[in-house]
Amino acid sequence: MTTSARPRRGRRLTGAAAGLALVVLGFVGLMVALVALGALVPGLGPLSGWATVTVPARGATLVVAGLVAAVLALLLRRRLRWTATGVAIGSGVATVALAVVVGILMAATVSAGGSVNPFQAIVPSSGFALPDGDPVYSTGPDGVGLHAAFWDPRGATGPAPVLVYVHGGGWNGGSELGNTDDMRWFADRGRLAVSVAYTLSTGTRPTWDVAGPQVACALTKVAALAPGRGGDPGRIVLAGDSAGGQLAVSVGYHAASGTQPSSCGGVVPVPRGVLVQYPAVDLLDAYAHGHFPGQPGTPGAYLAQLYTGGTPEQVPDRYRAVSGGPAITPRAPATLVIGPTGDELVPPGGVERFVDQARAAGVDATLVRLPYANHAYDILGTGSLGNQARRTISEHWLTQHGW
């Protein structure tokens, strides 16, 4: 009797462990299913927003996790046959659905000239690439020094093209040291990469007429410093994301038409190209329809108010002054716009209208749409699907133009 009781107790413990394992595996499968559902079915509120943030950042990781959950559940069928079978089927179907979403995003990247290493995307990393220099290029109206961080070119033969980057952050956050891994990545491919700071807006200090001239000043200073750091001042590309994308378009296009003032004087160099992601080029549209990703109840309108100092009704001229449409000129530089189709903070419609207007004016403007991606899709992990898409699509376009 005693001898036969011990195996039964062991079997009960094994069954309990199997049950617990299936709960964990079922939770993993549920997460995979929710991300796939939110991505494939737009308009599901926070779920769709969360999904389109997650797919570019952790989509590859979740596909592997879902596959592992399905396989392990199958192995547990000997203990809890029907429950394990249900978990395996549910996880498997969800994994296949998410794999399709990830595959479509990867295909869009490749179609735009980029490339993706899915194995690298399984475990994205994070880090901080120290710049080779971070000198003060000017001083803001508050007396605070404005820095330009330099990552010197590696492996360049002769003067290197220059990539000047304007950071995002809703015009009231961020710094020139906020995207260091990408700057080092571009420098490692033979460019002089420069990230520039500008005065940030506050509740008492709008910067709609301050930040642009500061970026123009940075262009002037970078052009002067570039030869000493191995750069070619005649091949400058102005880049930016979100708020920085608005500034890059505005400064680059106004420089081309000779109407861009500089906070430090001098002639503002006309960039050879403008490379932007999810740029806030239609501020009225973003004010009316934008909200933070996955947070429909948190509109982004206050960012525009901080930047301009009021609502569109109070300061309509300021909204027009910083929008991309009025800045368009046939002499504008070639432009690449990368736009996530699920962007909730900078609605895709305004970005697409801007590109259409630029093309109609004769600008060499390219729009790359990335499906199942939201605002800032590329910043949640170095080597993620989104980060690789941003880097390699940009690299392809720059290389095509000799920059």
Side-chain angles (χ1 to χ4, degrees), residues 231-319:
D232 180 358
R235 289 190 293 163
I236 294 177
V237 173
L238 186 56
D241 299 342
S242 193
Q246 177 270 318
L247 287 166
V249 167
S250 182
V251 171
Y253 280 33
H254 282 298
S257 62
T259 57
Q260 176 60 57
S262 166
S263 63
C264 57
V267 178
V268 180
V270 179
R272 297 284 294 274
V274 170
L275 191 170
V276 291
Q277 291 195 118
Y278 35 85
V281 286
D282 189 338
L283 210 56
L284 286 173
D285 187 52
Y287 180 92
H289 304 295
H291 62 81
F292 283 85
Q295 304 174 54
T298 309
Y302 81 93
L303 298 174
Q305 287 183 258
L306 287 176
Y307 186 43
T308 62
T311 67
E313 293 74 26
Q314 293 169 331
V315 289
D317 291 346
R318 296 181 183 180
Y319 278 77

Side-chain angles (χ1 to χ4, degrees), residues 336-390:
L336 173 64
V337 179
I338 304 176
T341 61
D343 198 328
E344 295 179 299
L345 188 59
V346 177
V351 175
E352 292 170 3
R353 285 190 295 273
F354 164 74
V355 173
D356 288 341
Q357 293 170 13
R359 288 171 176 167
V363 180
D364 176 11
T366 301
L367 173 62
V368 173
R369 297 177 177 89
L370 288 180
Y372 308 121
N374 210 318
H375 196 79
Y377 68 93
D378 58 306
I379 66 172
L380 298 177
T382 300
S384 67
L385 294 172
N387 184 250
Q388 291 187 58
R390 175 261 173 83

Side-chain angles (χ1 to χ4, degrees), residues 51-381:
T52 50
V53 168
T54 303
V55 167
R58 296 293 184 270
T61 308
L62 285 175
V63 167
V64 173
L67 179 61
V68 170
V71 171
L72 291 180
L74 283 175
L75 295 177
L76 292 172
R77 288 179 71 246
R78 294 181 60 186
R79 290 295 177 187
L80 298 167
R81 181 178 179 184
W82 296 112
T83 303
T85 299
V87 171
I89 292 174
S91 298
V93 170
T95 300
V96 170
L98 184 58
V100 169
V101 169
V102 167
I104 292 173
L105 174 57
M106 292 172 60
T109 300
V110 173
S111 177
S115 61
V116 177
N117 180 341
F119 299 103
Q120 182 184 8
I122 293 172
V123 187
S125 62
S126 61
F128 182 84
L130 283 172
D132 297 309
D134 190 22
V136 172
Y137 75 84
S138 187
T139 303
D142 51 6
V144 175
L146 301 173
H147 291 256
F150 286 80
W151 288 263
D152 295 335
R154 293 180 180 172
T157 56
V162 182
L163 183 69
V164 178
Y165 173 74
V166 189
H167 68 81
W171 302 283
N172 72 336
S175 80
E176 82 282 4
L177 298 178
N179 203 6
T180 61
D181 280 354
D182 284 353
M183 295 298 99
R184 181 72 268 166
W185 189 87
F186 284 112
D188 285 345
R189 280 149 185 80
R191 296 180 184 85
L192 174 61
V194 190
S195 180
V196 300
Y198 51 90
T199 298
L200 303 177
S201 58
T202 67
T204 58
R205 184 188 63 204
T207 57
W208 67 276
D209 58 345
V210 173
Q214 290 174 343
V215 172
C217 171
L219 272 181
T220 304
K221 295 297 180 68
V222 167
L225 293 172
R229 306 196 75 103
D232 180 358
R235 289 190 293 163
I236 294 177
V237 173
L238 186 56
D241 299 342
S242 193
Q246 177 270 318
L247 287 166
V249 167
S250 182
V251 171
Y253 280 33
H254 282 298
S257 62
T259 57
Q260 176 60 57
S262 166
S263 63
C264 57
V267 178
V268 180
V270 179
R272 297 284 294 274
V274 170
L275 191 170
V276 291
Q277 291 195 118
Y278 35 85
V281 286
D282 189 338
L283 210 56
L284 286 173
D285 187 52
Y287 180 92
H289 304 295
H291 62 81
F292 283 85
Q295 304 174 54
T298 309
Y302 81 93
L303 298 174
Q305 287 183 258
L306 287 176
Y307 186 43
T308 62
T311 67
E313 293 74 26
Q314 293 169 331
V315 289
D317 291 346
R318 296 181 183 180
Y319 278 77
R320 176 177 173 80
V322 299
S323 292
I328 293 174
T329 168
R331 298 188 296 276
T335 303
L336 173 64
V337 179
I338 304 176
T341 61
D343 198 328
E344 295 179 299
L345 188 59
V346 177
V351 175
E352 292 170 3
R353 285 190 295 273
F354 164 74
V355 173
D356 288 341
Q357 293 170 13
R359 288 171 176 167
V363 180
D364 176 11
T366 301
L367 173 62
V368 173
R369 297 177 177 89
L370 288 180
Y372 308 121
N374 210 318
H375 196 79
Y377 68 93
D378 58 306
I379 66 172
L380 298 177

